[in-house]
């Protein structure tokens, strides 16, 4: 049963087009005293006011409420694969707004932030228990930043051993998230990408053929974004260790294996958990986020600071001399750390295990239904074992039949209140890919609805391809015409640039 | 008992999915994991607290051990400041749609993309530049990425950082420039602050402008609060040397201060935290990068950015990603540096904040901060044993030097006993400034607060 849906459509102007001269949205307090002179050094006072809108407070509120209504987010059903869309408990949102967290300055004396440091330390211990690592830090502001942290820890480790000059290569696989090769390259390493074999997995032989005394590290996720778990991952780690390299486990896809495996027991030297994915923290449209980075005792001296320790019942921050220094200012996005801690406290060992069970069960439930839909195939169908928490599918057959692409189908699905599905990171190994991830926070009815919408859209496309090709039709705006986006004469990241390139006045007319 | 976060933790739902999947036991689904990969012992965490009441109580008990800037009088700043956050900012930050969006499409998450565009447009107006990327993790990250852009643009590999440098940001810059020890490193050279003025030492910097210098990085107002008066000269010298001028700025100062781009800055970076984001124990950081709208710069951004664009409906506007292919999402290791989750929820809030303030709000706020901080400096300078190192030409922050006798740590401990968070201790990072601390005064401080501090300091130093 497909439900009727239409997104809010306010035809909302830009804030820069709103308001009028003299309107005020915020009035600062009067100066404490009249200084009687200009306190700005000669020639440095701004004479031309910034071209900002003049809008009253209720107008600003309503404008951004309208914009919020024009965002689907998880108000619709979002099974955005690789991002583990799970419930973000509002209790911790509420707690995070209170003064005891929101009004803490990062340079406050340790004595004034004992509660906060205790949470950081407790959460560190809990993640150690889940991974087998010896120390976690929370400075990296996302998964990519955690991957970069690993690249920097790798540099520090080999520099201390006098081997940085020869340890020039970081190995990853074609299915690893782009942040792994990208951060390795930014840290000055050469990237070696192991291709996938016929079974969808990069082979141990292919790995062995590229590792050498030049190998600094392996950076890899497992299971991958297709739901394939590398059964030889321990041998991979051994092969890299045999040539003296370090092994980093990008645990982006942790949801299906949490409670069942420990990165350290598989031999990894370091790992990363995304608190904004697996640990219940909201996405925020892309942060604030945390890539919690954990490592072995051997790598701990190379961690960035500050670290949090418990000494004689008192929590203290300390520097880590000889380590990376800083990967980010202060201790990290601690508000998100507190939320993740609250989530883990609410879940416990039992809840974590159950979430993993449900997320893998729900994915396989979806797979059973999705594979019965004509036009849908799955990546590497010869790999017949059950997939983990997500499966990569292909609409390649459907595209051959109808000419409609996965992007067309994705757009049309949003017309039914279903958030866009994830296709695939680069490179696209599977034609016209899509990757739903059921997680544990969606009901059977919601999963069924998602599947029903997909089936409905595929049917529509067979009957009326134009309807799907020109979708969406029930969304805030129509499909974008992206032809201007990479044209320097037409792109405009600001209203000022847009007006200049289109010869418009300050009011846009 | 079912868990409130998981609909299918109800036994009936699990049974439904198990039956439909054609399995008997959920363990069958984990057949890909070899037996010897399993954890040697179960994960040992306390049982989950399924009642929200218990979770709330537990967290509240812990967090109540903190003392905040709300019930204490705070003078800490040092690049991260306690400003007022208008209530509308919090209202929008809490909207579930913004809070939970992840990626979407330009059509279905149009409102978020528009808010991002409005951020870039308003930030661009403040800094007087037309190309603005979506924010990165922090000011330090923005400065580092800006410097890396400069090395790619110039093909050179040394960057000069003008003191005074925030040790936190400098640490990030050094890390992003890949340290000082590797054969492929970008060399970061810090030129110490001129202790006579508290400002960048333009002469010393000019002496180091070799053909290998990709960029000069300078901040205004600088880490010690001083408004840099030599910026135009520095930018001129850098340009003559073929180097880029990268300037870090506190955007809240730009209602009263000339935007650095007008003084010759090529790449302007800075913090987004003052624009409506709470202190959040340091979890409110965010950094922006802005330049002229020229391909020379645009092609080097590591960020994502949204551009206004058309839709299939004539006359309709939308917002799509521009130059996506040059990001690491588009090109993996061939892209410019890397990108990922950032601080995009704050970006929406920043847009709200700038819209609320408008041109008059930024100007008045700047003047209020200037007046309050100078009032405080003057008042405190009258206390025996206290010297304001550079009593003029600063914005929001100023340096107090205390006569020998008490260390800054002792003074701050005594102030803390009076519910005052004293200024940031500078003695370890800037020993050349003596027994000094960096004090911050914003629109949050009333005259009575300054008087309270003055009385407390007088008593402590007596």
């Amino acid at each position: 049963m497909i439900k009727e849906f239409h997104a809010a459509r306010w035809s909302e102007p830009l804030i820069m087009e709103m308001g009028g001269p003299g309107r005020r949205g915020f009035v600062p307090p009067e100066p404490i005293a009249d200084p009687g002179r200009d306190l700005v050094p000669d020639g440095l006072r701004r004479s031309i006011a910034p071209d900002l809108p003049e809008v009253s407070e209720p107008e600003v509120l309503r404008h951004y409420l309208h914009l919020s209504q024009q965002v689907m987010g998880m108000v619709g059903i979002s099974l955005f694969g690789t991002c583990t869309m799970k419930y973000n408990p509002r209790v911790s949102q509420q707690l995070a707004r209170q003064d005891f967290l929101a009004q803490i300055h990062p340079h406050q004396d340790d004595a004034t932030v004992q509660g906060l440091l205790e949470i950081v330390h407790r959460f560190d211990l809990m993640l150690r228990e889940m991974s087998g690592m010896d120390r976690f830090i929370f400075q990296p502001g996302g998964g990519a930043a955690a991957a970069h942290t690993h690249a920097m820890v790798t540099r520090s480790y080999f520099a201390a051993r006098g081997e940085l000059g020869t340890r020039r290569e970081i190995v990853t696989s074609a299915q690893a998230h782009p942040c792994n090769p990208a951060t390795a390259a930014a840290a000055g390493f050469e990237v070696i990408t192991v291709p996938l074999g016929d079974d969808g997995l990069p082979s141990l032989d292919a790995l062995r053929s590229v590792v050498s005394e030049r190998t600094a590290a392996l950076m890899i996720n497992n299971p991958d974004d297709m739901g394939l778990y590398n059964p030889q991952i321990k041998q991979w780690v051994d092969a890299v260790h045999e040539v003296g390299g370090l092994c980093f486990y990008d645990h982006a896809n942790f949801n299906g294996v949490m409670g069942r495996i420990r990165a350290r027991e598989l031999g990894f030297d370091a790992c990363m958990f995304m608190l904004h994915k697996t640990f219940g923290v909201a996405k925020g449209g892309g942060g604030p986020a945390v890539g919690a980075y954990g490592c072995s005792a051997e790598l701990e001296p190379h961690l960035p600071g500050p670290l949090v320790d418990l000494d004689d019942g008192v929590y203290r921050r300390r520097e880590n001399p000889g380590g990376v220094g800083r990967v980010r200012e202060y201790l990290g996005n601690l508000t998100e750390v507190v939320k993740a801690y609250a989530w883990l406290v609410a879940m416990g060992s039992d809840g974590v295990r159950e979430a993993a069970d449900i997320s893998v069960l729900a994915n396989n439930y979806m797979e059973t239904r999705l594979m019965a839909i004509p036009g849908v195939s799955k990546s590497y169908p010869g790999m017949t074992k059950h997939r983990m928490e997500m499966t990569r599918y292909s609409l390649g057959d459907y595209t051959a039949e109808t000419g409609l692409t996965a992007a067309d189908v994705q757009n049309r699905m949003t017309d039914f209140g279903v958030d866009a599905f994830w296709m695939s990171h680069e490179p696209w190994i599977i034609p016209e890919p899509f990757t739903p991830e059921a997680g544990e926070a969606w009901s059977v009815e919601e999963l069924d609805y998602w599947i029903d919408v997909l089936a409905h859209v595929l049917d529509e496309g067979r009957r009326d391809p134009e309807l799907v090709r020109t979708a969406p039709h029930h969304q805030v705006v129509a499909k974008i015409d992206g032809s201007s986006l990479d044209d320097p004469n037409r792109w405009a990241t600001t209203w000022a640039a847009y007006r200049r390139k289109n010869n418009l006045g300050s009011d846009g007319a | 008992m079912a868990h409130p976060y998981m609909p299918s933790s109800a036994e009936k739902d699990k049974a439904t999915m198990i039956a439909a999947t054609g399995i008997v036991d959920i363990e069958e689904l984990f057949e890909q994991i070899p037996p010897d990969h399993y954890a040697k012992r179960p994960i040992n965490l306390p049982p989950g607290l399924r009642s929200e009441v218990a979770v709330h109580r537990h967290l509240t008990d812990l967090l109540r051990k903190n003392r905040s800037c709300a019930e204490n009088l705070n003078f800490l700043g040092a690049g991260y400041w306690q400003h007022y956050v208008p209530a509308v900012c919090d209202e929008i930050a809490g909207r579930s749609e913004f809070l939970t969006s992840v990626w979407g499409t330009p059509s279905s998450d149009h409102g978020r993309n528009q808010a991002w565009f409005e951020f870039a447009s308003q930030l661009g107006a403040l800094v007087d530049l037309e190309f603005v990327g979506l924010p990165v993790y922090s000011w330090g990250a923005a400065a580092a990425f800006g410097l890396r852009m400069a090395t790619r643009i110039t093909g050179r590999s040394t960057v000069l950082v003008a003191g005074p440098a925030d040790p936190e940001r400098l640490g990030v810059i050094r890390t992003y420039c890949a340290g000082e020890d590797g054969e492929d490193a970008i060399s970061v050279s810090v030129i110490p602050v001129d202790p006579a003025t508290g400002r960048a030492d333009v002469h010393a910097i000019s002496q180091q402008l070799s053909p290998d210098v990709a960029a000069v990085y300078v901040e205004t107002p600088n880490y010690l609060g001083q408004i840099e008066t030599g910026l135009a000269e520095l930018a001129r010298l850098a340009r003559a040397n073929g180097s880029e001028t990268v300037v870090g700025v506190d955007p809240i100062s730009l209602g009263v201060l000339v935007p650095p781009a007008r003084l010759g800055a090529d790449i302007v970076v800075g913090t987004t935290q003052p624009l409506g984001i709470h202190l959040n124990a340091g979890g409110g950081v965010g950094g922006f990068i802005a330049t002229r709208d020229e391909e020379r710069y645009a092609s080097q951004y590591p960020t994502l950015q949204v551009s206004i664009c058309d839709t299939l409906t004539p006359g309709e506007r939308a917002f799509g990603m521009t130059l996506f292919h040059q990001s690491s999402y588009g090109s993996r290791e061939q892209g410019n540096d890397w990108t990922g989750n950032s601080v995009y929820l704050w970006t929406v809030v920043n847009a709200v904040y700038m819209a609320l303030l408008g041109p008059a709000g930024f100007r008045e706020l700047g003047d209020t901060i200037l007046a309050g901080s100078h009032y405080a400096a003057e008042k405190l300078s009258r206390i025996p044993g206290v010297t304001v190192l550079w009593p003029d030409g600063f914005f929001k922050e100023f340096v107090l030097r205390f006569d020998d006798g008490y260390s800054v740590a002792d003074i701050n401990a005594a102030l803390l006993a009076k519910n005052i968070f004293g200024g940031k201790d500078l003695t370890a990072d800037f020993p050349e400034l003596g027994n000094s601390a960096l004090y911050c005064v914003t629109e949050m401080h009333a005259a009575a607060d300054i008087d309270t501090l003055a009385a407390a300091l007088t008593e402590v130093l007596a």
Side-chain angles (χ1 to χ4, degrees):
Chain A
M1 173 67 180
I2 302 299
K3 294 184 283 192
E4 195 177 348
F5 172 83
H6 202 300
R9 179 181 269 178
W10 288 99
S11 302
E12 190 71 8
L14 297 168
I15 192 75
M16 289 77 71
E17 297 173 294
M18 294 174 61
R23 289 188 207 172
R24 297 297 299 266
F26 179 79
V27 177
E30 294 277 320
I32 287 176
D34 178 1
R37 63 193 168 101
D38 192 355
L39 298 171
V40 175
D42 285 350
L44 293 180
R45 177 169 279 272
R46 186 167 195 151
S47 56
I48 304 165
D51 189 12
L52 294 169
E54 296 175 83
V55 198
S56 68
E57 182 177 331
E59 291 173 281
V60 172
L61 175 63
R62 282 198 305 274
H63 172 70
Y64 286 100
L65 289 176
H66 291 168
L67 293 191
S68 73
Q69 291 179 342
Q70 296 181 150
V71 181
M72 187 178 295
M74 289 174 75
V75 180
I77 301 171
S78 180
L79 309 184
F80 194 88
T82 75
C83 277
T84 315
M85 305 302 291
K86 62 174 65 186
Y87 179 61
N88 316 123
R90 295 309 195 266
V91 64
S92 46
Q93 289 297 127
Q94 188 197 72
L95 288 165
R97 281 204 198 181
Q98 296 184 35
D99 289 342
F100 53 38
L101 188 50
Q103 297 301 329
I104 301 291
H105 192 285
H107 285 312
Q108 276 179 227
D109 192 284
D110 285 344
T112 66
V113 288
Q114 286 295 296
L116 189 58
L117 297 181
E118 182 173 348
I119 289 174
V120 170
H121 181 67
R122 281 173 176 241
F123 193 56
D124 172 13
L125 296 181
M126 291 164 99
L127 294 189
R128 293 185 204 180
E129 170 63 17
M130 292 179 83
S131 65
M133 295 297 164
D134 294 309
R135 168 78 79 163
F136 273 83
I137 58 158
F138 305 107
Q139 280 91 347
H148 183 247
T149 298
H150 183 72
M152 298 316 302
V153 166
T154 299
R155 282 187 71 102
S156 176
Y157 173 82
F158 285 114
R161 298 163 66 96
E163 295 177 42
L164 190 54
T166 53
R167 297 282 178 180
R168 301 309 312 141
E169 296 170 353
I170 283 184
V171 179
T172 187
S173 94
Q175 264 293 296
H177 189 279
C179 73
N180 289 300
T183 57
F189 292 101
E190 293 159 37
V191 175
I192 296 183
T193 303
V194 182
L196 305 187
D198 294 338
D199 58 355
L201 290 163
S203 76
L204 185 57
D205 284 344
L207 174 76
R208 287 200 171 119
S209 71
V210 298
V211 296
S212 69
E213 70 286 345
R214 290 178 56 76
T215 303
L218 170 72
M219 297 174 73
I220 197 158
N221 50 354
N222 185 46
D224 68 13
D225 295 352
M226 300 189 291
L228 302 181
Y229 184 97
N230 186 342
Q232 293 184 304
I233 199 69
K234 284 174 94 165
Q235 291 91 326
W236 272 57
V237 170
D238 290 344
V240 173
H241 282 166
E242 276 164 24
V243 298
L246 299 172
C247 294
F248 168 68
Y249 197 154
D250 172 351
H251 250 318
N253 301 338
F254 186 53
N255 214 43
V257 296
M258 59 182 178
R260 280 188 169 75
I261 62 169
R262 283 193 182 87
R264 187 75 181 124
E265 289 175 4
L266 295 174
F268 283 94
D269 305 287
C271 72
M272 173 269 285
F273 295 124
M274 288 196 235
L275 305 189
H276 49 289
K277 295 184 181 176
T278 320
F279 290 81
V281 175
K283 302 293 183 297
V290 179
Y293 178 82
C295 67
S296 65
E298 190 181 11
L299 292 185
E300 188 175 323
H302 303 284
L303 282 173
L307 304 177
V308 176
D309 284 338
L310 174 61
D311 302 321
D312 295 332
V314 178
Y315 297 92
R316 297 180 213 281
R317 281 167 284 193
R318 69 166 169 88
E319 293 301 327
N320 193 27
V324 163
R326 286 286 183 278
V327 293
R328 177 200 181 278
E329 296 91 320
Y330 321 121
L331 264 184
N333 288 330
L334 294 190
T335 308
E336 322 314 311
V337 173
V338 170
K339 291 174 190 172
Y341 172 76
W343 180 87
L344 195 50
V345 163
M347 296 296 278
S349 292
D350 49 335
V352 159
R353 176 84 175 199
E354 186 157 24
D357 284 359
I358 293 172
S359 66
V360 175
L361 173 60
N363 181 52
N364 281 279
Y365 171 79
M366 284 189 72
E367 186 175 313
T368 305
R369 281 205 59 198
L370 285 169
M371 290 306 291
I373 299 175
V376 175
S377 60
K378 72 174 176 181
S379 56
Y380 298 97
M383 216 300 291
T384 55
K385 289 182 178 177
H386 290 99
R387 301 287 165 108
M388 302 296 293
E389 85 288 10
M390 64 186 141
T391 301
R392 174 149 303 149
Y393 302 91
S394 171
L395 289 172
D397 296 341
Y398 182 75
T399 302
E401 177 192 341
T402 63
L404 296 167
T405 65
D408 295 331
V409 172
Q410 177 197 51
N411 273 319
R412 181 58 180 158
M413 286 179 75
T414 68
D415 275 340
F416 301 96
V418 170
D419 195 34
F421 55 54
W422 175 240
M423 292 192 270
S424 167
H425 290 295
E426 297 290 338
W428 278 18
I429 293 159
I430 307 298
E432 302 303 321
F434 70 101
T435 318
E437 180 179 354
E440 72 275 15
W442 304 95
S443 67
V444 179
E445 307 89 86
E446 286 164 323
L447 299 178
D448 281 339
Y449 188 71
W450 195 99
I451 296 162
D452 291 346
V453 168
L454 175 68
H456 176 78
V457 168
L458 295 183
D459 267 357
E460 278 186 332
R462 291 190 177 95
R463 285 183 274 112
D464 184 356
E466 273 313 290
L467 177 72
V468 175
R469 198 188 322 279
T470 55
H473 305 288
H474 293 173
Q475 267 304 332
V476 185
V477 293
K479 183 154 96 176
I480 62 167
D481 167 4
S483 61
S484 65
L485 292 175
D486 291 339
D487 178 352
N489 295 315
R490 293 172 70 202
W491 74 46
T493 64
T494 61
W495 184 227
Y498 180 80
R499 283 176 303 175
R500 177 172 57 78
K501 293 178 184 184
N502 292 279
N503 300 309
L504 302 177
S506 62
D507 58 354
Chain B
M1 192 196 347
H3 196 291
Y5 302 166
M6 300 187 280
S8 294
S9 58
E11 287 307 323
K12 180 174 175 295
D13 293 295
K14 236 181 292 184
T16 299
M17 290 199 288
I18 287 171
T21 307
I23 56 169
V24 176
D25 189 315
I26 286 177
E27 285 312 315
E28 295 170 43
L29 300 176
F30 294 87
E31 62 185 325
Q32 286 193 81
I33 305 177
D36 69 337
H37 287 206
Y38 275 79
K40 295 193 174 96
R41 55 175 182 78
I43 306 296
N44 181 24
L45 299 176
L49 300 180
R50 299 196 177 205
S51 169
E52 182 174 321
V53 180
V55 175
H56 186 274
R57 176 65 187 262
H58 176 68
L59 268 290
T60 304
D61 284 349
L62 285 168
L63 289 167
R64 279 203 179 125
K65 298 177 188 174
N66 294 340
R67 293 173 59 182
S68 82
C69 297
E71 76 273 11
N72 294 272
L73 190 49
N74 171 51
F75 294 95
L76 287 165
Y80 196 83
W81 307 288
Q82 186 185 13
H83 286 289
Y84 186 78
V85 175
V88 172
C89 289
D90 281 342
E91 176 74 16
I92 298 303
R95 290 289 296 191
S96 283
E97 301 91 332
F98 286 131
L99 185 70
T100 64
S101 83
V102 54
W103 191 257
T105 71
S107 304
S108 56
D109 279 351
H110 173 84
R112 181 200 59 199
N113 287 15
Q114 178 168 337
W116 288 348
F117 180 77
E118 293 179 357
F119 160 82
S121 296
Q122 295 183 93
L123 196 282
L126 276 177
V127 298
D128 205 10
L129 288 165
E130 290 190 352
F131 197 97
V132 180
L134 289 178
V136 297
Y137 304 112
S138 69
W139 185 355
F145 278 134
L147 291 169
R148 292 182 64 96
M149 286 169 66
T151 62
R152 292 194 291 271
I153 289 167
T154 59
R156 302 177 180 186
S157 61
T158 293
V159 297
L160 306 181
V161 174
D166 175 7
E168 297 280 337
R169 272 197 295 289
L170 181 60
V172 176
I173 290 170
R174 286 194 187 284
T175 299
Y176 276 50
C177 288
E180 294 154 288
D181 44 17
E183 58 193 33
D184 50 11
I186 297 168
S187 167
V188 178
S189 180
V190 181
I191 292 88
V193 60
D194 178 352
T197 63
R199 294 185 170 124
D201 190 335
V202 176
H203 178 71
I205 294 167
S206 70
Q207 298 293 301
Q208 294 208 31
L209 278 172
S210 66
D212 191 41
V213 173
V216 177
Y217 178 68
V218 59
E219 294 176 351
T220 186
N222 69 29
Y223 178 64
L224 299 178
Q226 288 290 311
I227 299 163
E228 286 292 350
T229 51
L231 185 55
E233 170 74 357
L234 208 49
R236 190 183 62 74
L237 293 168
R239 181 158 301 180
N241 190 55
S243 312
E244 300 289 317
T245 300
V246 184
V247 176
V249 69
D250 169 8
I252 223 167
S253 72
L254 292 176
V256 291
L257 298 185
V258 169
R262 291 269 164 171
L263 299 168
D266 299 301
I267 299 173
V268 175
V269 302
T271 170
T272 58
Q273 181 266 328
L275 304 176
I277 310 303
H278 290 289
L279 291 172
N280 292 341
V285 294
F288 68 82
I289 304 172
T291 61
R292 298 186 292 278
D293 188 349
E294 296 170 7
E295 279 184 88
R296 168 186 172 86
Y297 297 102
S299 64
Q300 297 304 330
Y301 274 71
T303 53
L304 300 180
Q305 45 273 322
V306 286
S307 168
I308 202 164
C309 66
D310 298 329
T311 76
L312 299 187
T313 302
E316 187 174 64
R317 281 193 306 229
F319 309 91
M321 296 277 176
T322 180
L323 296 171
F324 183 80
H325 62 87
Q326 70 188 29
S327 74
S328 58
Y329 281 129
S331 301
R332 295 174 76 90
E333 70 268 25
Q334 304 303 320
N336 293 330
D337 298 323
W338 83 92
T339 189
N341 275 293
S342 179
V343 294
Y344 298 156
L345 180 64
W346 299 152
T347 305
V348 174
V349 180
N350 298 150
V352 176
Y353 184 87
M354 290 186 279
L356 283 169
L357 262 73
F362 272 102
R363 187 187 65 247
E364 291 167 11
L365 182 58
D367 278 327
T368 288
I369 291 169
L370 279 167
S373 53
H374 282 77
Y375 171 87
E378 198 277 328
K379 180 122 189 162
L380 299 171
S381 72
R382 287 190 240 148
I383 300 170
V386 175
T387 307
V388 176
L389 279 190
W390 310 289
D392 278 311
F394 61 85
F395 181 82
K396 190 156 73 180
E397 301 198 75
F398 52 92
V399 176
L400 296 186
R401 187 170 65 205
F402 303 100
D403 289 357
D404 293 342
Y406 296 100
S407 69
V408 173
D410 291 342
I411 294 166
N412 280 349
L415 290 175
L416 185 57
K418 297 172 182 293
N419 301 322
I420 295 171
F421 299 162
K424 172 83 167 68
D425 190 339
L426 296 174
T427 49
D429 299 323
F430 294 88
E432 67 271 32
L433 301 182
N435 197 25
S436 296
L438 182 62
Y439 274 71
C440 172
V441 172
T442 71
E443 76 280 9
M444 300 297 282
H445 297 91
D449 298 330
I450 309 300
D451 296 344
T452 300
L453 171 64
L457 266 181
T458 304
E459 200 178 312
V460 167
L461 296 171

